[in-house]
């Protein structure tokens, strides 16, 4: 598709490593959203903190790190699990990370609720999605979008 086409838009262009297997699929739309998830990450090693964070202090789960830090100092990252309906009617369950989500919705994820995020994804049409072996979306190409 020529770059001059105004309906063509590429989101989150990442240099893809040729040694990593990726799959491309073209779909009409996102079918459903399974969930929106936000996790805390360690300020030292950047690993996801798995333990519940109901208190004001948290300890990193990484045995090589074990830092203890204020919960408020921990960065958060969000991701969305989505279901795509393929041409053969089979479902494909994939994850959209925060970086790609913010490229798609053009907003900071921290400012959106689940119900505010959903229309942004459901209004996308005629999409090419590239995902890796871990079922994480690495690239989205938009060919059309509904008027919002």
């Amino acid at each position: 598709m020529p770059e001059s086409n105004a309906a063509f838009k590429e989101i989150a262009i990442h240099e893809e490593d040729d040694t990593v297997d990726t799959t491309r699929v073209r779909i009409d739309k996102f079918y459903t959203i399974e969930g929106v998830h936000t996790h805390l990450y360690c300020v030292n090693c950047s690993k996801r903190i798995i333990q519940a964070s109901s208190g004001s202090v948290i300890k990193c789960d990484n045995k090589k790190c074990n830092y203890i830090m204020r919960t408020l100092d921990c960065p958060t990252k969000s991701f969305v699990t989505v279901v795509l309906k393929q041409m053969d009617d089979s479902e494909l369950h994939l994850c959209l990370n925060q970086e790609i989500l913010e490229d798609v919705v053009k907003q900071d994820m921290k400012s959106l609720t689940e119900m505010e995020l959903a229309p942004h994804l459901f209004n996308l049409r005629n999409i090419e999605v590239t995902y890796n072996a871990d079922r994480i979306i690495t690239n989205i190409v938009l060919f059309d979008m509904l008027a919002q």
Side-chain angles (χ1 to χ4, degrees):
M1 189 149 257
E3 287 186 36
S4 61
N5 186 343
F8 176 77
K9 183 176 183 188
E10 192 152 353
I11 302 293
I13 303 170
H14 300 286
E15 290 186 32
E16 292 185 20
D17 185 350
D18 291 338
T19 61
V20 176
D21 286 332
T22 59
T23 304
R24 283 190 185 148
V25 62
R26 186 126 179 214
I27 58 167
D28 178 48
K29 62 186 176 189
F30 287 103
Y31 184 58
T32 61
I33 297 173
E34 285 184 317
V36 178
H37 313 278
T38 301
H39 296 287
L40 296 173
Y41 288 80
C42 177
V43 297
N44 179 53
C45 70
S46 300
K47 298 281 185 191
R48 187 175 109 187
I49 298 174
I50 299 169
Q51 62 183 290
S53 59
S54 59
S56 61
V57 175
I58 199 162
K59 184 175 181 180
C60 181
D61 299 303
N62 182 356
K63 299 291 183 214
K64 294 179 181 176
C65 177
N66 282 321
Y67 266 45
I68 298 172
M69 63 214 96
R70 285 186 296 271
T71 305
L72 290 174
D73 291 337
C74 295
T76 59
K77 293 182 186 172
S78 299
F79 69 94
V80 175
T81 50
V82 294
V83 179
L84 312 179
K85 197 102 166 285
Q86 299 186 90
M87 296 295 195
D88 64 359
D89 243 11
S90 64
E91 293 182 355
L92 183 60
H93 300 252
L94 301 174
C95 287
L96 275 161
N97 66 28
Q98 183 169 329
E99 180 183 4
I100 293 192
L101 279 167
E102 288 176 348
D103 283 344
V104 170
V105 301
K106 302 294 185 227
Q107 290 184 16
D108 183 355
M109 281 298 299
K110 294 174 187 164
S111 67
L112 293 175
T113 67
E114 289 179 346
M115 296 307 286
E116 292 169 332
L117 172 65
H120 287 285
L121 295 178
F122 291 146
N123 286 335
L124 302 176
R125 292 287 187 268
N126 197 8
I127 312 159
E128 182 181 87
V129 173
T130 304
Y131 63 94
N132 63 23
D134 294 325
R135 297 193 176 265
I136 297 171
I137 294 174
T138 59
N139 195 39
I140 296 177
V141 178
L142 304 177
F143 295 99
D144 199 6
M145 185 182 268
L146 288 179
Q148 294 189 25

